[in-house]
Amino acid sequence: MIVPVRNGEDVLGDSLAAVRASDFPAADWDLIVVDDGSTDGSAAVARRLADAVEHLPVAQGPAAARNLGARRARGAILVFIDADVCVHPDVLRRFVEIFTGEPGVGAIFGAYDTRPRAPGLVSQYRNLLHHYVHAQSPGDAETFWAGCGAMRREVFAETGGFDETIHQLEDVELGHRVRELGHRVLLRPEIQGTHLKRWTLRSMVTTDLFGRGITWMRLHLQQGQSGRPGTLNLRPAEKACTALSGLAICAVGTAAVRREAVWLLVALGFLVMVLIGNTRMLHWFARERGFWFALRIVPLRVLYYVLNDIAVVLGLVLHTLTPRLGRARAHGPPGPSVSRPS
């Protein structure tokens, strides 16, 4: 098991303790923590609980940290866990059982559970949203998630590992390459971990726009395809809501330029259509956290789609200027496979 960490002292101990509570025999796996140039006490926490601690003297990003961990790991299965995720005790066992029972599967990933630790509307919304989205698309996937995911060593080696020039969605990009090589990727939302991250409105906007939205758009344009219909955030309904939000923005702009209030009604109509498209999701949030919670996340949903629209425009511009996102893998494949899962 490989856990990259960058200044995660406050969450790493809980994450590693959760790994150690696994119901899979401890003699059959190793826990490797890769310290990505941390300036806090992450390394000291790791040394207390990990089998091995690797260090990157200067922060190079999670892709580089995971690649280093993969080179040091000894097992036939590489399990990647984020430092702010507390996996459930059955996670390792479930990964191994699926790989054993389905030889054609090259990679598997799970989801957050419905018990995020951080309080507050934004934190609860973001972490529950991740669970909801993954729960809607079980089975074969076009992507990969390294927050709680596993991959056969030989498949990881065949891809060349994570692209170290991509610092957000590097796991998504890796998943696309796994599929292009003909290997199956499975999303199994019953494989779960508790997310410890605290979100703020600012971190949400920054992540959705610069961390994910623009990168996702550039990957889409580079590959010339959007993936299998119905895959996670690329479901047709999500694309439609993003388009409707963009039309609402255009209508508001038209109202401002032409000073005609009727365009504000047009914008409102588009936003109502967005809410209708989110009815199922809002019902789920209401069941999980109550009607008042579901009502309060409506502005966050609208903001999400507006950020998607901005990301589409910026992604198109950046793709025109620099069509290639990422480059050839900086390192060779990991070492030879052995029978021990890791």
Side-chain angles (χ1 to χ4, degrees):
M1 179 171 293
I2 299 160
V3 180
V5 62
R6 164 71 177 165
N7 291 339
E9 178 183 12
D10 56 336
V11 294
L12 183 62
D14 289 342
S15 176
L16 299 184
V19 173
R20 287 300 184 196
S22 172
D23 62 15
F24 196 72
D28 292 336
W29 54 275
D30 293 320
L31 175 56
I32 300 173
V33 174
V34 182
D35 177 21
D36 185 25
S38 295
T39 56
D40 65 358
S42 295
V45 174
R47 284 192 291 270
R48 292 198 300 266
L49 292 166
D51 295 306
V53 181
E54 299 291 337
H55 299 274
L56 291 170
V58 178
Q60 299 181 34
R66 293 186 184 111
N67 283 341
L68 175 58
R71 293 195 297 274
R72 298 294 185 265
R74 298 181 294 165
I77 299 172
L78 303 174
V79 178
F80 300 98
I81 303 295
D82 279 350
D84 60 0
V85 174
C86 289
V87 294
H88 292 188
D90 62 354
V91 163
L92 291 179
R93 174 172 52 81
R94 286 181 180 270
F95 279 142
V96 172
E97 287 174 351
I98 296 171
F99 280 127
T100 302
E102 301 192 46
V105 173
I108 311 161
F109 63 100
Y112 295 143
D113 61 22
T114 57
R115 303 189 301 274
R117 182 175 299 181
L121 178 69
V122 177
S123 290
Q124 290 285 305
Y125 159 68
R126 285 303 299 234
N127 293 320
L128 287 170
L129 177 64
H130 181 283
H131 172 89
Y132 175 84
V133 170
H134 281 216
Q136 301 308 301
S137 304
D140 286 274
E142 299 290 323
T143 182
F144 182 65
W145 177 51
C148 180
M151 190 173 296
R152 296 186 192 274
R153 173 182 287 276
E154 64 269 21
V155 173
F156 188 82
E158 188 178 358
T159 66
F162 292 95
D163 189 327
E164 298 180 11
T165 67
I166 301 176
H167 298 291
Q168 289 280 353
L169 299 185
E170 69 282 347
D171 47 359
V172 170
E173 192 273 338
L174 175 61
H176 287 314
R177 285 188 280 121
V178 171
R179 292 288 290 117
E180 288 173 355
L181 290 170
H183 304 290
R184 291 178 65 199
V185 180
L186 286 185
L187 166 53
R188 298 294 294 267
E190 69 274 17
I191 300 176
Q192 297 182 1
T194 301
H195 200 202
L196 308 181
K197 181 174 180 176
R198 177 181 176 272
W199 289 88
T200 65
L201 184 61
R202 179 178 180 178
S203 65
M204 185 188 82
V205 171
T206 302
T207 299
D208 279 346
L209 183 56
F210 299 105
R212 295 175 183 168
I214 295 173
T215 303
W216 200 302
M217 184 61 186
R218 296 187 68 192
L219 285 173
H220 162 62
L221 292 170
Q222 182 174 298
Q223 295 161 357
Q225 59 181 1
S226 60
R228 178 173 60 87
T231 299
L232 301 181
N233 300 77
L234 297 176
R235 295 194 305 272
E238 292 295 287
K239 295 179 182 178
C241 287
T242 297
L244 289 168
S245 297
L247 291 173
I249 294 172
C250 292
V252 170
T254 302
V257 171
R258 302 181 66 170
R259 300 181 181 277
E260 295 177 359
V262 66
W263 288 102
L264 294 178
L265 295 177
V266 173
L268 180 60
F270 286 133
L271 292 178
V272 169
M273 294 172 68
V274 170
L275 294 182
I276 292 174
N278 279 264
T279 299
R280 183 178 178 184
M281 177 184 292
L282 292 173
H283 281 170
W284 182 84
F285 273 105
R287 289 196 303 270
E288 288 291 327
R289 292 295 187 273
F291 175 78
W292 176 233
F293 183 93
L295 185 63
R296 287 186 296 156
I297 70 168
V298 168
L300 298 178
R301 290 302 295 162
V302 174
L303 176 60
Y304 166 75
Y305 292 120
V306 170
L307 293 173
N308 282 352
D309 290 314
I310 298 173
V312 167
V313 175
L314 294 179
L316 283 168
V317 172
L318 291 174
H319 179 73
T320 302
L321 296 175
T322 54
R324 173 65 187 170
L325 177 65
R327 56 179 173 78
R329 260 46 65 197
H331 300 287
S337 172
V338 297
S339 60
R340 246 179 97 151
S342 162

